[in-house]
Amino acid sequence: MGKIKAANIGMKFGMCHVEGAMSYGAEIAAICDSNEENLRFAGERYGIPEEKRVADYRDIMNNDEIDVVTVAIPDQQHVKVSCDLLRAGKHVLCEKPLALTREDIEEMVRVADESDAKFMVGQICRFTPAFEKAKEIIESGTIGELYFVESEYAHDYMKLCDDWRADPRRHGVIGGGCHAVDLLRWLAGDPIEVFAYGTHKLLPMVDYDDATIAIMKFSDNLAGKVFVSTGCKRDYTMRTVIYGTKGTIICDNTSPALTLYTVDEEGVTKEPESIEVEVNNHNAVKEFEVFADAILNNKPVLTDAREGAKTVAVCLAIVEAATTGKIVKPDYNF
């Protein structure tokens, strides 16, 4: 394969993916959106001629010159569009969450397994500089063994909650909270059971809980918590705290520094260290770079369909636990 020829579907949420592909040096072979105004705006912004602007994703699916396609459309459409593209032999980078139901994530895993093309789900927190640094510190042993991890997805949807976000299948835990769930899975592993409570006081236009707190058991000596609020009255954040036996990391995706606590030789907490990090909470440039490397050098995709499905499986377990009042074990069998 020579220069990668990329196409991007969904111009309302997918312009960052156009920028990611362009920054990498890929050729933008097509952009797609069923909304004429979104398509025109993106085309003019990035200098993409009208003949490369299409309203139907099947024009991309049937274009033999296109290698890689990013899919940034409402979550309900991920399964149909991504599976069609994979069957057509396109490498696909699909936005999170992978899908919204157990049936759909199972189908996407199956189709991805059957395809010779690469598939990546856009769990973007794994490319956020502060969280990458936290992962590096954890793996270095600096804060010892983890015993508790927590993250939150706090985002006010009051002015964002259009029809597809209000869809009962797109519970806030699955649609947005999957960021926090996936982050903890990446840092601490797969939870073996979850319990949750939910409340609904903030978003009158939705039927699902607009605030959920989930407690997770990762192992006998490692627990976690995820808080999701899609109606909170504050700035967007994914504040995350990682507690280890020898130290603590406090970080988020919108601040220019993280805080690191460590201990002296006697186990006494020292003065905290502030570590500067780049603020980049949707690092589509790094994301596309990693995907392109996997394609060109035939490497495994770390956030493949099965990884995306596991994150959704935990989210579905949280929703079930909050609904039934019972402890639920996520089902990772795909």
Side-chain angles (χ1 to χ4, degrees):
M1 182 187 294
K3 187 173 185 178
I4 288 178
K5 293 186 178 181
N8 307 83
I9 303 173
M11 290 299 100
K12 186 172 183 179
F13 307 105
M15 288 197 294
C16 65
H17 293 295
V18 178
E19 293 171 6
M22 292 176 71
S23 295
Y24 178 80
E27 176 186 337
I28 305 301
I31 58 172
C32 176
D33 200 296
S34 58
N35 183 291
E36 184 178 339
E37 178 57 27
N38 291 345
L39 195 60
R40 183 198 61 77
F41 180 83
E44 292 179 357
R45 179 170 181 170
Y46 301 115
I48 299 167
E50 289 190 16
E51 63 268 21
K52 293 185 178 181
R53 306 175 196 173
V54 300
D56 189 332
Y57 80 94
R58 287 171 294 189
D59 291 336
I60 289 172
M61 186 179 73
N62 296 322
N63 186 333
D64 292 337
E65 293 186 356
I66 294 172
D67 308 305
V68 181
V69 185
T70 59
V71 177
I73 53 181
D75 306 336
Q76 295 87 341
Q77 301 170 18
H78 287 179
V79 60
K80 168 65 174 171
V81 174
S82 295
C83 289
D84 282 352
L85 291 166
L86 284 168
R87 292 187 182 102
K90 307 300 184 189
H91 303 293
V92 178
L93 196 173
C94 178
E95 264 291 356
K96 65 79 208 166
L98 180 67
L100 301 177
T101 67
R102 181 75 193 187
E103 179 182 19
D104 283 352
I105 60 176
E106 288 181 349
E107 180 178 357
M108 291 184 78
V109 169
R110 178 179 57 79
V111 174
D113 283 349
E114 292 172 352
S115 175
D116 292 330
K118 301 282 188 182
F119 180 86
M120 181 179 191
V121 59
Q123 302 291 171
I124 200 67
C125 288
R126 302 191 188 201
F127 303 103
T128 299
F131 299 147
E132 286 185 311
K133 186 64 178 178
K135 175 81 166 175
E136 177 187 319
I137 294 169
I138 293 167
E139 293 184 341
S140 73
T142 299
I143 64 169
E145 294 184 21
L146 302 186
Y147 67 90
F148 182 72
V149 291
E150 64 178 354
S151 185
E152 63 185 45
Y153 177 82
H155 196 175
D156 189 356
Y157 279 13
M158 184 57 77
K159 292 185 178 180
L160 300 175
C161 205
D162 43 21
D163 289 345
W164 69 274
R165 282 194 174 97
D167 183 341
R169 291 175 298 169
R170 195 190 187 271
H171 191 289
V173 169
I174 304 171
C178 67
H179 278 309
V181 170
D182 187 75
L183 177 61
L184 292 193
R185 284 192 56 247
W186 186 48
L187 298 177
D190 293 333
I192 57 178
E193 60 185 38
V194 303
F195 185 73
Y197 290 105
T199 61
H200 186 188
K201 293 185 176 182
L202 296 159
L203 298 178
M205 71 288 289
V206 304
D207 294 328
Y208 52 78
D209 290 334
D210 48 38
T212 303
I213 184 167
I215 305 300
M216 303 177 174
K217 180 180 180 180
F218 291 90
S219 66
D220 288 341
N221 276 310
L222 177 55
K225 180 185 78 173
V226 163
F227 172 65
V228 177
S229 179
T230 51
C232 57
K233 306 311 170 190
R234 60 162 301 173
D235 290 341
Y236 166 65
T237 185
M238 279 192 59
R239 185 176 185 271
T240 300
V241 187
I242 304 132
Y243 293 91
T245 55
K246 295 180 180 179
T248 303
I249 302 167
I250 303 173
C251 57
D252 62 58
N253 58 341
T254 59
S255 300
L258 61 77
T259 302
L260 172 64
Y261 289 88
T262 55
V263 297
D264 61 22
E265 294 179 355
E266 297 179 349
V268 177
T269 303
K270 299 188 292 187
E271 288 296 312
E273 178 184 357
S274 180
I275 300 175
E276 292 186 1
V277 291
E278 178 191 0
V279 177
N280 189 340
N281 65 18
H282 208 109
N283 193 0
V285 174
K286 177 70 174 293
E287 187 176 45
F288 191 90
E289 177 185 320
V290 169
F291 192 41
D293 182 50
I295 294 167
L296 294 174
N297 297 300
N298 197 26
K299 295 180 179 179
V301 178
L302 298 182
T303 55
D304 60 9
R306 196 163 266 100
E307 269 297 283
K310 285 184 175 182
T311 291
V312 176
V314 178
C315 293
L316 291 170
I318 291 170
V319 174
E320 181 182 346
T323 303
T324 63
K326 297 179 179 180
I327 293 172
V328 178
K329 297 181 182 294
D331 181 358
Y332 300 120
N333 295 307
F334 302 105

